[in-house]
Each structure stands twice: as C-alpha cells, then as structure tokens.
C-alpha cells in the first residue's frame, strides 16, 4: 500500500491532507523514526512524543516563512522528515549524514541551531524584535520542553518576553520528563496545571462567588459555559505565565491532532502579544518499551525493535559507570561527600549514588550555573561537593566556576564527563574546550586519567587537595586496565614515565595509550620517544619537562582537545617562562573547527589522533628542519 509519507516533500503537502490522513501520517512517521533510530541510535523518546505536535505546527503555520525554533533540538526528527529530508533521514547521525539537531546549513526550515538547552526563547524573542523592526510579517514559534524550562536562561527570556510583549508563540511541550523525571518546584506546578486541578479548584471558587451575587448568580452558574468563560477570563490571569505577561492556553492534549490544530490556529489569530500553549505529551508515545522506560530510550544505542533490547551486548563498563561506582565508595567513606547533577542522573553514572545516599544527592534540573554556585555554598560550609557535568555543558557556567568557585578557592570537584571527541551528536556536544576554558582559572587543578584505575585514584585525591579540581574523562568504554582495590596516594602535579626514550612525548588523559602505541611504532622507524602520562594539565610536572628540555630534547604534547589554550599551550608557555627557546616543540591536538557528526573513532582518525595518525604527525614534525 502506498504511504502518505512518500507524498510529503514539504509542509505544503500536509495542508492538503484530511484529518484521517493526517492521523495516518503520524503513525507512518512514528514507524519511520523507530526504524531509523533502531539502526542508527538517537533520541527516540522525545521524538516519538512530538509527532502530532510537529505535524500540527507545520499544518497551521507556514514554515520556513514562519520560524520554528526547537529548544535543545533533539526532538526535531519529524520536522526534518517532513521538511524535505525524508530520505536523508536514513543517514541520521552517521558520518556524512544529517545531524540529529537543527542545522541551518542543512535546511532553510532549521532557523536556529540548538543542542544545549533553554536557548530557544531568547533567540525567538530576538527574531521577533528583528521582524518588527524590519516591518516584516511572520510568526516566530519556540518549542520548549518542561525540562528545558528549568534552565535559568528560559526565565531570563520569559522576563523580557512578558515585558516587550512581542507577538511570539511559545509551545511548552510538557511530558513531565527531562531525561529523567523533571524535578523541582516548577515541575510540580506544571503537573498541577496539566492535571486540571487548578482549573477545577478555581471553578468551584468562582461558583461560590457567583452564588453570592443576588438574582444574577444562579442563572449564570446554570449557564455553565458562562462560568467557564468567566473563570478563564477572571481567574486565569493569576497563572504564573499570565502574570508574566504571556497569554496562557492549555493544557492541551498533545497527541490529539484536532485539539492541537485548534489551539495553534487560535494562537495564530492572537495579535496582541506573546502566547504560551501548554501541550501535554507522553515521551515514547506509540512504542511500548520507550513509554515504559523513556529514560533508557532518551539517547538510545541501536536496538531490536521487537524487544527493545540493545542490538549489541553492552560489553565493558563506561567511564561514567566507574565514576559512579567510585562516588559510592567515597560516599560511604565520608559523609561530607555530596553529588550534584544538572539533569543527567543516568548519563553521569550517579544513579547508584542517588539510590544509596538520597539525602546527599541533588539533581538541580538543567541548571549548570546554579549547580556550580550551589556546590560553592556547600563547599564553603565544609561539605565536599562533586559536580558531575559534561564538558560541553559546563561551558555555560564559566563565570560561576571563575567568580564563585576559583576566586574563593573553594574545594568543589568537577567531574567532566564526555570530555574529548563525542560521537553521534555533532558539534554542539563536543567536549573539546574544557582544558582551555579552565586552565587560566586561579587555584584550579586540572587532571585527566589515562584509564579507569587512574580515574578512581584521581577522584579520591581531588577530594583532599583543598582546591577546585576538574577531572576530564571521555565518553565510552573503559580500557580494561586492572583496578586497584584500595585507593593510593596521588601527589599533586606529578606525572609518570611509562616508557623511556630520547625525546619526550607528553600525553594527557585519553591520548596516553595511543601515544604509547605510537611510540612503539616509532622505535621501529628509529625514532626514540619517552612517553609520559602527564596526569595534570595544571599544575604541570615542571621537573619532568625540564629534564628533557634542559637536555635539548624534542618535546611533543598530545591531547584530545582544542590546541588553542590547551594542555600543549600550557607546556609551551612554561618553556617560554623558563626562557627555553632552542628546543623543538609541537603541541598535537585539535584545530579550531566545527566538528562533524560521526563515531569517535572516525573523527579521531580524520584528525589524526589515533595511533597511526600520531605516528604520521610525529614523523612529519621530525622530518622538518
Ligand atoms: C545546557 C544543557 N544541559 C544538559 C543537556 C542534556 N539534555 C539534553 S535533552 C535534556 C532533557 C530535556 O528535557 P525537555 O526539555 O523536557 O525535553 P524532552 O526530552 O522531555 O522532550 C537534557 C538534560 C543539554 N542539552 N543542554
């Protein structure tokens, strides 16, 4: 049977469909998303939850003239499929394929690039102001999840949206979930609104007021509808969003195409200011394993559609898992240890700690900046907070790390997961900048383990240094190193010589083992390099560096991060301070680029950070004179 989806080459084709065909299309889109994500991996739950919402938006509005901005952007699959990328969608997240997030380079329908949460409302307001200044006429629509609404930036935007009162539509996609269940007072408030209890309560309240009006009151109550109108008009301004200056419409059943189309039409007609439409959806809708376990299918690896089981066995543990396990050990040994996550309970590996020590675990929502200052307050008061935040997301809290933690020299430990090359998600999720953005922070200690054993020792040591410490480790499986049963001493700023040689290859974190492999290969070609595991980017092991530098040896550094301002730059600056200018030096790492989507191994190969690539780079350098 012919598929309706095959006839959709753009949103204009949707507008020709009958309600029945639109509903059929929703099913087909769902099946297609499931088919592709089960093979390529991807953000399944969020995407299955917004199929109707996306179809209704494109049915009512006129993209790309009307601008739709997706907050986070991980829920844009239906949007991509029906805006001319149906076939390309098969290459989702694959090297050379399309991105799992909106990309202006990819399509004119993607009006704003996203990847990090809570950015859409600000950008939408900027676009709405620009539209009015240029006297243009189109709609700006921001779609934001309840999880992303926990981010401070969303509220900074709402503050100005309510103030400026631009014509702007906010679609709140409320599925009661961030990646894990949404947390905090706001989520309780939204749940209360979504449940309709608020409405029922004020309706009763309205009735009792009406009853007290002589003669007129009872007839109005009997008129029923009139009560509802009166309630809406009289009492809904009391809602949080209305108070902020946005017209609130909802809650709307977010899987009913008819209801969605009706409210979007209503919002489209609204000419006098910002509107917020509260849609209630279900993550994973239409696929039972994802409905039952939306967290697991948030960012899914390839899986068997029939069973929902992973396509490949899980194999070795991840660094996140080892981090989580070590946190439990440390939490048992010291009741001042506190774990903090910004909405990444599972991703950071903290679920066991949360289970074991619920009173010492805090999920603050998608609020990295707040997480850092919350930790600062705890550290100031004698606790030992560990903030587990992905490298890419800590970028957001740069000033809090600097102004609040480092200037006050507070012992907060930052566990930077997903540091280095990050697979599948594309440029917004790369963890390549943390060395550079933390290295110039006063009092900050920077470490990176070469394997899981070192990670556990570093974490234990970090809690004892009495300074801010950031430990970076990669996404992915551990190396298989043997893990000591007991913690051992980890002297601050001391590196480790792993292989002796004439010249020095000083490697940091995830590049230590590839550097060792490369050095062995280089021996066969007559080049002798000592390999040192730097362990620290700050403070550096100056003694070790000077040993080679003073002997006039070549020094090369290797790191999985942007070279500008990174680990190699630190070594170069140290040599300059020592007035050692006459040795050959090169920092190997990554150039400033927008990194493509692909597997980590593909990207490493492309940028020559795998052992073979390191051999090539070192040989090329040694050949130059
Ligand atoms: C600044 C930032 N922190 C963390 C994340 C990781 N993250 C991706 S999606 C997501 C949950 C978003 O929840 P919500 O906005 O409700 O969307 P849903 O997945 O429920 O549709 C999180 C925490 C991120 N993208 N950006």
């Amino acid at each position: 049977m012919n598929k309706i989806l095959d006839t959709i080459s753009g949103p204009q084709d949707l507008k020709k469909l009958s309600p029945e065909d639109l509903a059929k299309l929703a099913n087909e889109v769902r099946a297609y998303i499931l088919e592709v994500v089960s093979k390529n991996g991807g953000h399944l739950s969020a995407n299955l939850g917004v199929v109707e919402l996306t179809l209704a938006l494109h049915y009512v509005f006129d993209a790309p003239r009307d601008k739709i901005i997706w907050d986070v952007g991980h829920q844009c699959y239906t949007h991509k499929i029906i805006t001319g990328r149906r076939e390309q969608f098969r290459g989702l997240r694959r090297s050379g394929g399309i991105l799992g997030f909106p990309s202006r380079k990819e399509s004119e329908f993607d009006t704003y690039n996203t990847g990090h949460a809570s950015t859409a409302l600000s950008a939408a307001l900027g676009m709405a102001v620009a539209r009015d200044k240029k006297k243009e006429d189109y709609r700006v629509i921001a779609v934001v999840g309840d999880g992303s609404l926990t981010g401070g930036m969303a509220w900074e935007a709402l503050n100005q949206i309510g103030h400026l009162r631009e014509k702007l539509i906010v679609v709140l996609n409320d599925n009661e979930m961030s990646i894990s269940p949404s947390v905090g007072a706001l989520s309780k408030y939204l749940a209360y609104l979504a449940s309709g209890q608020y409405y029922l309560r004020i309706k009763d309240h309205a009735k009792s007021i009406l009853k007290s009006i002589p003669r007129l009151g009872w007839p109005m109550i009997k008129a029923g509808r009139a009560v509802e109108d009166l309630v809406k008009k009289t009492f809904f301004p009391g809602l949080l969003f209305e108070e902020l200056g946005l017209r609130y419409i909802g809650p709307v059943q977010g899987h009913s195409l008819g209801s969605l189309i009706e409210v979007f039409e209503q919002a489209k007609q609204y000419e006098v200011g910002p509107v917020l439409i509260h849609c209630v959806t279900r993550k994973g809708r239409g696929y039972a394993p994802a409905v039952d376990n939306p967290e697991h299918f948030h960012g899914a690896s390839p899986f068997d559609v029939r069973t929902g089981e992973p396509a490949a066995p899980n194999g070795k543990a991840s660094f996140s898992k080892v981090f989580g396990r070590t946190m439990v050990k440390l939490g048992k040994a010291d009741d001042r240890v506190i774990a903090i996550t910004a909405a990444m309970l599972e991703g950071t590996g903290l679920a066991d700690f949360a289970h074991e020590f619920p009173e010492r675990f805090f999920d603050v929502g998608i609020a990295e900046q707040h997480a850092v200052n919350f930790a600062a307050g705890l550290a100031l008061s004698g606790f030992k907070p560990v903030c587990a935040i992905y490298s890419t997301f800590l970028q957001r809290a740069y000033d809090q790390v600097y102004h609040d933690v480092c200037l006050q020299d507070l012992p907060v430990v930052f566990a930077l997961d997903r540091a280095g090359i990050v697979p599948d998600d594309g440029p917004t999720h790369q963890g390549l900048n943390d060395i550079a953005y933390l290295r110039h922070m006063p009092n900050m200690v920077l470490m990176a383990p070469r394997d899981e054993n070192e990670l556990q020792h570093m974490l234990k040591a970090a809690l004892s240094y009495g300074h801010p410490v950031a430990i970076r480790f990669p996404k992915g499986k551990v190396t298989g190193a043997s893990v000591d049963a007991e913690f051992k001493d980890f002297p601050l700023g001391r590196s480790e010589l792993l292989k002796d040689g004439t010249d020095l290859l000083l490697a940091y974190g995830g590049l230590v083992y590839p550097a060792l492999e490369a050095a062995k290969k280089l021996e066969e070609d007559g080049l002798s390099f000592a390999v040192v595991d730097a362990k620290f980017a700050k403070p550096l092991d100056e003694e070790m560096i000077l040993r080679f530098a003073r002997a006039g040896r070549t020094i090369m550094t290797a790191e999985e991060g942007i070279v500008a301002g990174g680990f190699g730059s630190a070594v170069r600056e140290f040599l300059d301070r020592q007035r050692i200018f006459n040795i050959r030096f090169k920092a190997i790492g990554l150039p400033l680029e927008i990194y493509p989507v692909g597997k980590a191994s593909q990207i490493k190969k492309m940028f020559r950070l795998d052992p073979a690539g390191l051999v090539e780079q070192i040989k090329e350098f040694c050949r130059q004179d």
Side-chain angles (χ1 to χ4, degrees):
M1 205 175 68
N2 286 346
K3 284 206 177 118
I4 298 168
L5 182 54
D6 294 335
T7 68
I8 308 293
S9 49
Q12 72 283 358
D13 296 323
L14 285 185
K15 299 176 201 279
K16 303 173 198 152
L17 298 181
S18 65
E20 294 73 34
D21 281 352
L22 210 52
K24 276 189 205 148
L25 177 66
N27 291 338
E28 291 175 11
V29 169
R30 252 196 194 93
Y32 187 39
I33 290 176
L34 197 55
E35 180 198 331
V36 172
V37 175
S38 68
K39 291 192 188 113
N40 300 17
H43 290 96
L44 187 69
S45 319
N47 279 291
L48 293 180
V50 295
V51 174
E52 288 84 6
L53 190 154
T54 311
L55 293 181
L57 271 180
H58 279 290
Y59 184 84
V60 171
F61 295 99
D62 293 311
R65 200 170 146 263
D66 291 331
K67 317 283 181 218
I68 304 173
I69 307 167
W70 300 94
D71 201 283
V72 184
H74 62 312
Q75 76 290 57
C76 69
Y77 296 177
T78 302
H79 164 81
K80 291 205 174 195
I81 291 169
I82 62 167
T83 54
R85 286 165 280 180
R86 189 186 57 235
E87 290 314 311
Q88 286 151 282
F89 187 68
R90 293 197 184 279
L92 177 75
R93 292 154 55 100
R94 294 221 159 125
S95 184
I98 65 168
L99 215 57
F101 293 88
S103 161
R104 291 170 57 219
K105 232 164 78 182
E106 231 175 65
S107 164
E108 60 176 338
F109 287 92
D110 295 5
T111 47
Y112 193 79
N113 291 8
T114 45
H116 289 198
S118 322
T119 64
L121 301 188
S122 305
L125 181 60
M127 285 157 75
V129 167
R131 172 201 59 203
D132 292 354
K133 284 202 179 304
K134 291 164 81 178
K135 305 216 177 322
E136 291 173 344
D137 183 25
Y138 53 82
R139 299 283 163 173
V140 180
I141 305 123
V143 184
V144 60
D146 56 305
S148 298
L149 207 60
T150 58
M153 224 185 130
W155 291 91
E156 293 168 30
L158 284 173
N159 184 39
Q160 201 191 3
I161 288 170
H163 173 64
L164 292 182
R165 301 197 52 76
E166 292 288 334
K167 215 165 65 182
L168 172 70
I169 297 168
V170 177
V171 176
L172 169 59
N173 172 33
D174 181 3
N175 50 30
E176 296 183 34
M177 296 285 293
S178 191
I179 291 178
S180 306
S182 282
V183 290
L186 177 70
S187 74
K188 278 203 194 115
Y189 175 68
L190 292 179
Y192 184 44
L193 286 185
S195 71
Q197 285 172 33
Y198 180 92
Y199 180 65
L200 293 176
R201 226 177 67 187
I202 56 176
K203 196 167 155 181
D204 287 347
H205 187 53
K207 274 188 184 167
S208 63
I209 291 176
L210 286 173
K211 271 189 216 166
S212 67
I213 303 173
R215 279 182 302 135
L216 276 178
W218 268 112
M220 280 177 80
I221 292 171
K222 281 193 198 139
R225 206 36 217 259
V227 174
E228 298 216 7
D229 283 353
L230 187 76
V231 164
K232 277 199 172 164
K233 290 200 181 99
T234 313
F235 294 94
F236 265 46
L239 288 165
L240 181 57
F241 299 110
E242 294 262 349
E243 293 279 307
L244 284 173
L246 289 91
R247 178 78 205 270
Y248 173 90
I249 303 176
V252 182
Q253 215 284 34
H255 299 295
S256 157
L257 278 160
S259 308
L260 288 166
I261 289 171
E262 192 183 321
V263 292
F264 290 159
E265 288 286 4
Q266 207 181 324
K268 196 174 165 183
Q269 305 311 324
Y270 191 68
E271 291 289 343
V272 289
V275 184
L276 182 138
I277 304 165
H278 185 179
C279 303
V280 179
T281 62
R282 188 76 186 259
K283 261 187 146 166
R285 169 89 173 189
Y287 182 56
V291 171
D292 295 343
N293 196 349
E295 221 165 333
H296 174 73
F297 286 95
H298 177 83
S301 302
F303 60 94
D304 178 342
V305 178
R306 270 180 319 110
T307 61
E309 293 301 318
N314 258 339
K316 282 190 271 188
S318 64
F319 274 89
S320 318
K321 191 94 197 149
V322 173
F323 163 73
R325 248 189 247 144
T326 312
M327 282 297 292
V328 171
K329 241 165 119 177
L330 294 168
K332 275 186 185 144
D334 187 340
D335 62 10
R336 291 168 300 173
V337 173
I338 287 183
I340 301 168
T341 176
M344 307 300 289
L345 169 70
E346 291 291 338
T348 54
L350 282 174
D352 290 345
F353 188 99
H355 183 72
E356 193 101 10
F357 311 107
E359 73 295 349
R360 282 193 275 142
F361 167 78
F362 296 92
D363 179 350
V364 299
I366 310 181
E368 288 80 4
Q369 295 158 296
H370 161 67
V372 173
N373 279 18
F374 175 58
L378 286 162
L380 195 76
S381 316
F383 284 92
K384 296 187 171 185
V386 178
C387 263
I389 299 180
Y390 292 2
S391 163
T392 189
F393 300 141
L394 191 67
Q395 285 168 191
R396 179 158 288 193
Y398 175 86
D399 187 56
Q400 285 72 14
V401 177
Y402 181 79
H403 169 273
D404 296 85
V405 172
C406 288
L407 288 187
Q408 299 190 78
D409 197 9
L410 296 174
V412 176
V413 175
F414 297 99
L416 303 188
D417 200 327
R418 272 63 164 175
I421 287 167
V422 173
D424 307 323
D425 284 334
T428 52
H429 286 60
Q430 293 300 343
L432 303 175
N433 297 312
D434 55 280
I435 309 173
Y437 72 69
L438 295 173
R439 195 166 71 72
H440 53 262
M441 301 248 180
N443 299 308
M444 177 62 99
V445 173
L446 296 184
M447 312 160 100
R450 68 172 183 261
D451 57 30
E452 56 273 37
N453 191 32
E454 222 168 61
L455 173 60
Q456 62 152 355
H457 294 313
M458 282 184 177
L459 199 53
K460 167 75 166 67
L463 290 171
S464 70
Y465 289 153
H467 297 289
V469 181
I471 307 174
R472 78 186 312 252
F473 48 91
K475 174 168 189 177
K477 302 291 172 204
V478 293
T479 63
S482 68
V483 173
D484 303 328
E486 301 294 323
F487 289 117
K488 67 176 186 205
D489 280 351
F490 212 86
L492 183 65
R494 174 124 19 112
S495 65
E496 183 184 351
L497 179 73
L498 298 179
K499 171 193 168 304
D500 216 344
T502 311
D503 296 318
L504 172 61
L505 180 54
L506 184 57
Y508 189 49
L511 282 198
V512 171
Y513 285 121
L516 258 181
E517 217 179 306
K520 282 181 192 145
K521 178 82 186 52
L522 287 165
E523 293 285 345
E524 294 165 18
D525 298 322
L527 290 170
S528 167
F529 273 87
V531 177
V532 169
D533 173 2
K535 301 180 201 282
F536 294 84
K538 188 169 178 280
L540 288 171
D541 188 346
E542 299 181 350
E543 220 179 285
M544 178 70 83
I545 297 167
L546 284 176
R547 207 163 97 197
F548 286 85
R550 292 214 169 110
R553 310 290 189 212
T554 295
I555 296 182
M556 299 185 78
T557 58
E559 68 199 286
E560 199 175 309
I562 297 296
V563 171
F567 168 67
S569 301
V571 176
R572 168 95 263 176
E573 288 161 27
F574 169 67
L575 292 171
D576 286 351
R577 282 198 301 279
Q578 296 296 314
R579 306 192 60 73
I580 299 174
F581 304 120
N582 58 344
I583 63 162
R584 297 181 350 140
F585 174 85
K586 180 178 162 72
I588 294 177
L590 291 161
L592 286 175
E593 292 231 0
I594 308 291
Y595 283 81
V597 66
K599 295 285 158 215
S601 56
Q602 291 169 324
I603 302 173
K604 279 183 199 170
K605 197 167 160 40
M606 197 181 301
F607 289 92
R608 302 201 298 173
L609 290 189
D610 59 336
L614 289 177
V615 167
E616 267 176 36
Q617 295 204 59
I618 292 168
K619 277 188 180 168
E620 277 168 22
F621 182 70
C622 291
R623 268 203 301 270
Q624 293 162 7
D625 239 325

